Amino acid sequence: MHRSDVFPPVSEFDTRHSLRNPQWEGSVEYVSGSAVGTVAPWQPVIELCESVAAELPAVIPEIVDRIRHELPSYRIVDRAEHEHDVTDHYRGLLTGLAGRRSPTRAEIEAARALGAERAAAGLPLHALIDAYHVGYREMWNVLLTRAQSRNAEAGAQLVSIVGMVWTWVQQSSSAAAEAYGAAVRAADATLLSLTHQFLDGLATAAPTGIDLEQLAHALTFDPAGTFQALCAPAADWPDERLMELRNRHWPGTVRCATRGNLMIALLQDVSPETVLATAQRRAPDTAFGIGLRRTGLDGATASVADARAALALAPAGGTVSFADQWLLATVTPAAHRFAVLLEPCREAARLHPELAATVRGFADNSFSLTTTARVLHVHPNTVKYRLHRWQQLTNWDVRTWEGLSASIIALGLPPLT
């Protein structure tokens, strides 16, 4: 059922849904069947609610203005739709206050429908809940101002039902939040299933029965576009944390899931820095590998491989880009094969860290003894001696390509466990 079937347009409100009810005449008692008194003393509040209901076309735009000012994320919701939804809700509130009742089942279902719609639109949950509080604050101020200007009796009676107003806030916002969560979980389950299929298809070169281009389109990727991958340890990304990352409103497309011991995120039209800034706030101690930007579905597969290789070099809480460390990232998976060649160098670095620092400094400073000495705060002759000592211990002369490349690779590889 659409909410318009439950709540008529404002123009029809006076004739079809007047706040006056013939059943209220006499000594009828209210609040969900609880005895609280007769209608006659309550007549000023009924008249107040009728009066404010008649003003809704003027009041609602002001309330919506306040919501959209305090909660900028509401700009993704169409203004006319927003005003329509708020009008429906506060018409129900005014009817409920006049009848001294909590929301009906239909009104709760309307709140649930609204929560699901806001989830589909990408509105953050906190904004949805905050909008209820902002809106009720503004409507209460309208009611209180009108009541005080009419007579003291209406004002006093209105203040006495603060608890009832809070019941409307709590029940309506809770119903909306519950439906929002259910909608997000359902959409996320579908998205996650498609992402797993896509990643599996990339990893297995699209076996029979998997149409990678169709899956890419379903995930809002352009299969001919540019992809970039991020990888992190799966252990750092439990389901709830990863769900937050998946459902964030990104400027481009970000799809992520765990596969084996990895968390893999594929990006399109969004920078890795943007995603990393959010991800590292969620998991500050996790390491990330960043793949190259590559084109097409084959490029997506290669970028995932890049990111996986770069991750092997990343310290906890740090990031390593394949673009910066492609040599070490490429060599690392095969490091055990030539460990016997590297061990003399790695042993020398463990026993003489100053020699290793000098070798790195020499490579980083254009092979200049003077510049390296200045950076290390030592004499150039000290640099010269250390490089000679390194050659004695490792048999690698860093003034040659073979000796320098072997030394830098050995010093840059992670521990060979």
Side-chain angles (χ1 to χ4, degrees):
M1 177 180 293
H2 193 275
R3 288 193 306 283
S4 62
D5 296 328
V6 178
F7 302 105
V10 175
S11 60
E12 302 177 21
F13 180 70
D14 290 339
T15 57
R16 294 175 52 195
H17 287 261
S18 172
L19 293 173
R20 295 183 180 276
N21 189 319
Q23 296 179 356
W24 294 352
E25 304 300 330
S27 300
V28 181
E29 298 168 343
Y30 289 96
V31 183
S32 299
S34 300
V36 295
T38 62
V39 168
W42 196 248
Q43 193 62 32
V45 173
I46 296 173
E47 293 174 357
L48 171 65
C49 290
E50 283 189 312
S51 173
V52 173
E55 295 182 55
L56 284 180
V59 170
I60 293 301
E62 295 179 358
I63 293 177
V64 170
D65 281 342
R66 176 52 55 186
I67 292 172
R68 296 170 83 92
H69 174 74
E70 294 190 22
L71 304 168
S73 53
Y74 256 87
R75 291 170 186 163
I76 66 173
V77 177
D78 177 74
R79 171 75 190 220
E81 176 190 344
H82 193 184
E83 289 192 10
H84 176 269
D85 293 333
V86 173
T87 299
D88 280 353
H89 184 73
Y90 288 115
R91 184 183 297 127
L93 169 68
L94 293 170
T95 303
L97 293 181
R100 288 176 285 181
R101 64 164 175 79
S102 56
T104 64
R105 179 176 299 179
E107 287 159 347
I108 291 297
E109 287 304 312
R112 290 182 59 81
L114 182 64
E117 289 176 14
R118 294 296 185 255
L123 184 77
L125 177 58
H126 70 83
L128 173 66
I129 301 304
D130 289 347
Y132 273 95
H133 291 274
V134 172
Y136 269 83
R137 181 192 70 205
E138 296 301 307
M139 178 55 75
W140 179 257
N141 288 339
V142 169
L143 287 166
L144 198 56
T145 300
R146 301 296 191 276
Q148 291 172 342
S149 67
R150 293 168 70 91
N151 58 67
E153 183 180 359
Q157 287 176 324
L158 194 62
V159 171
S160 72
I161 59 167
V162 169
M164 187 186 304
V165 174
W166 176 247
T167 296
W168 273 78
V169 177
Q170 191 275 329
Q171 291 188 10
S172 299
S173 61
S174 294
E178 181 182 350
Y180 181 106
V184 167
R185 287 189 295 274
D188 185 69
T190 300
L191 182 65
L192 183 58
S193 176
L194 291 173
T195 302
H196 277 299
Q197 292 178 56
F198 187 61
L199 292 176
D200 289 346
L202 292 177
T204 56
T208 303
I210 295 181
D211 186 336
L212 280 182
E213 288 197 9
Q214 185 177 2
L215 280 173
H217 284 301
L219 291 167
T220 67
F221 283 128
D222 174 6
T226 300
F227 292 84
Q228 191 164 18
L230 303 176
C231 284
D236 293 339
W237 289 94
D239 291 344
E240 183 176 348
R241 182 181 290 173
L242 193 55
M243 183 176 174
E244 292 177 7
L245 198 63
R246 277 196 299 270
N247 291 306
R248 186 176 177 82
H249 191 65
W250 299 105
T253 300
V254 177
R255 303 299 179 219
C256 48
T258 55
R259 192 171 190 275
N261 63 353
L262 289 178
M263 187 281 284
I264 301 172
L266 272 176
L267 287 50
Q268 194 170 78
D269 299 325
V270 56
S271 71
E273 292 77 17
T274 299
V275 178
L276 286 169
T278 298
Q280 289 175 325
R281 284 197 296 272
R282 300 287 191 279
D285 296 328
T286 194
F288 278 94
I290 307 172
L292 294 177
R293 296 179 73 249
R294 297 179 182 268
T295 303
L297 297 177
D298 288 342
T301 301
S303 188
V304 171
D306 297 341
R308 180 188 296 112
L311 176 62
L313 303 175
T319 62
V320 169
S321 170
F322 188 83
D324 297 331
Q325 299 290 345
W326 63 269
L327 179 58
L328 286 175
T330 303
V331 170
T332 295
H336 287 281
R337 290 176 50 199
F338 40 82
V340 65
L341 299 175
L342 301 178
E343 193 51 37
C345 171
R346 296 165 73 83
E347 179 66 16
R350 284 192 291 269
L351 296 175
H352 306 283
E354 75 285 358
L355 301 186
T358 303
V359 170
R360 290 193 180 96
F362 186 66
D364 291 341
N365 290 283
S366 305
F367 316 115
S368 166
L369 296 177
T370 302
T371 305
T372 304
R374 184 167 60 249
V375 170
L376 297 178
H377 306 292
V378 297
H379 193 277
N381 285 342
T382 301
V383 174
K384 185 176 180 180
Y385 166 77
R386 289 179 179 177
L387 296 179
H388 178 68
R389 180 61 177 156
W390 178 261
Q391 182 180 359
Q392 288 179 324
L393 294 173
T394 65
N395 204 33
W396 289 342
D397 184 354
V398 296
R399 293 168 296 183
T400 67
W401 163 249
E402 181 181 0
L404 180 63
S405 59
S407 296
I408 294 302
I409 290 172
L411 293 175
L413 289 174
L416 300 178
T417 55

